[in-house]
């Protein structure tokens, strides 16, 4: 099975900060990686797919990069609405859809 | 409106059976896989498996193989997640999510239901 590992588990930041979350895959997944945002009591929401493609309607302050086994999600200037938990996910119909353990982005 | 509507919260006793549902609307339900994702209280997301309503092809995560059964009824645009004998450790929020079109190998989950909370307690 492919394992996904995110870091950090918790990130404290302030409005206006630039933040980066890292996701590592246990084997090469090319660019078949998505990022989701989840707020308390809500379903996850797709932000990024194919490592760097922005889902329609998602603000441009979100960006993704990476290929192979190492990926990043960057928020260029944190807004109050961005404090949430973020998950990476590798997706492949034949090897599965494993999620990272999540990164809780909290207000400093 | 394109949406997945999940059935309501359930409270069950250990050993009981349960089926929860996920109804799609606003798109051609038979064309896209439906995934199930578990979120235990205070924990992260876990992919359980995926079912293709077009032909009922089903793939399970090794962690959930044999623990649950996924199915779909394309005549009513509904996918199901079934337990034959619940355990207290099945207490969680369960989400359905829309996956790829046909046998597109690489596709993410672009549409999510609001979740069904399952509580198992004696």
């Amino acid at each position: 099975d492919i394992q996904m590992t995110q870091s950090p588990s918790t990130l404290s930041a302030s409005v206006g900060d630039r933040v980066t979350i890292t996701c590592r895959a246990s084997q090469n997944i090319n660019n078949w990686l998505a990022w989701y945002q989840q707020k308390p009591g809500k379903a996850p929401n797709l932000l990024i797919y194919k490592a760097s493609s922005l889902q329609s309607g998602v603000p441009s302050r979100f960006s993704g990069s990476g290929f192979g086994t190492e990926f990043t999600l960057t928020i260029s200037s944190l807004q109050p609405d961005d404090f949430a938990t973020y998950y990476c996910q590798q997706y492949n119909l034949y090897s599965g859809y494993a999620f990272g353990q999540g990164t809780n982005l909290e207000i400093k | 409106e394109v949406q997945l509507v999940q059935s309501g919260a359930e409270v069950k006793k250990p050993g009981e059976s349960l089926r929860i549902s996920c109804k799609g609307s606003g798109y051609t339900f038979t064309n896209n896989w439906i995934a199930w994702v578990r979120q235990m209280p205070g924990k992260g997301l876990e992919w359980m498996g995926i079912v293709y309503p077009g032909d009922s092809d089903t793939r399970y995560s090794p962690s959930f193989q044999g623990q649950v059964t996924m199915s779909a009824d394309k005549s009513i645009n509904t996918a199901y997640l079934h337990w034959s004998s619940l355990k207290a450790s099945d207490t969680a929020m369960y989400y359905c999510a829309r996956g790829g079109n046909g046998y597109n190998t690489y596709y993410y989950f672009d549409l999510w239901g609001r979740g069904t909370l399952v509580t198992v307690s004696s």
Side-chain angles (χ1 to χ4, degrees):
Chain A
D1 289 0
I2 299 174
Q3 311 296 324
M4 307 301 292
T5 304
Q6 287 180 233
S7 60
S9 295
T10 303
L11 179 57
S12 298
S14 302
V15 173
D17 284 353
R18 178 183 180 90
V19 298
T20 298
I21 299 169
T22 297
C23 177
R24 290 186 173 85
S26 60
Q27 59 187 269
N28 181 14
I29 59 169
N30 292 300
N31 59 349
W32 306 118
L33 184 102
W35 290 96
Y36 300 87
Q37 177 192 67
Q38 187 180 32
K39 296 180 180 178
K42 300 294 187 183
N45 182 50
L46 176 68
L47 300 175
I48 301 279
Y49 62 93
K50 209 172 177 183
S52 60
S53 296
L54 197 65
Q55 173 71 345
S56 176
V58 174
S60 59
R61 62 181 180 272
F62 291 92
S63 64
S65 65
F67 192 91
T69 61
E70 187 151 339
F71 303 87
T72 59
L73 173 70
T74 299
I75 309 173
S76 60
S77 178
L78 271 175
Q79 300 302 302
D81 192 49
D82 300 338
F83 292 95
T85 301
Y86 293 85
Y87 295 93
C88 64
Q89 180 202 34
Q90 69 91 15
Y91 51 88
N92 182 321
L93 180 61
Y94 299 101
S95 65
Y97 298 85
F99 290 94
Q101 80 275 20
T103 294
N104 180 29
L105 177 54
E106 60 181 29
I107 301 174
K108 185 184 288 185
Chain B
E1 181 186 0
V2 179
Q3 60 182 346
L4 296 172
V5 178
Q6 296 190 233
S7 50
E10 301 275 1
V11 179
K12 292 289 193 178
K13 291 181 168 36
E16 291 186 331
S17 65
L18 174 65
R19 187 179 76 170
I20 63 175
S21 66
C22 170
K23 182 176 178 63
S25 61
Y27 72 99
T28 304
F29 185 72
T30 52
N31 284 358
N32 290 77
W33 294 79
I34 295 290
W36 289 95
V37 176
R38 183 175 79 174
Q39 188 166 40
M40 299 177 77
K43 302 299 184 183
L45 305 173
E46 301 173 89
W47 173 66
M48 302 175 70
I50 198 163
V51 58
Y52 187 60
D55 62 9
S56 293
D57 187 3
T58 309
R59 317 283 172 94
Y60 293 95
S61 162
S63 299
F64 291 91
Q65 179 82 47
Q67 307 305 307
V68 295
T69 302
M70 296 172 193
S71 62
D73 185 340
K74 61 185 179 182
S75 69
I76 55 171
N77 289 358
T78 301
Y80 300 100
L81 179 63
H82 176 258
W83 293 261
S84 59
S85 181
L86 287 160
K87 303 184 282 288
S89 57
D90 292 318
T91 294
M93 181 71 81
Y94 293 88
Y95 294 101
C96 63
R98 187 176 71 174
N101 186 299
Y103 282 83
N104 181 348
T105 302
Y106 303 105
Y107 203 84
Y108 37 88
F109 300 161
D110 64 353
L111 177 69
W112 292 69
R114 293 187 175 184
T116 295
L117 180 62
V118 174
T119 303
V120 184
S121 174
S122 54

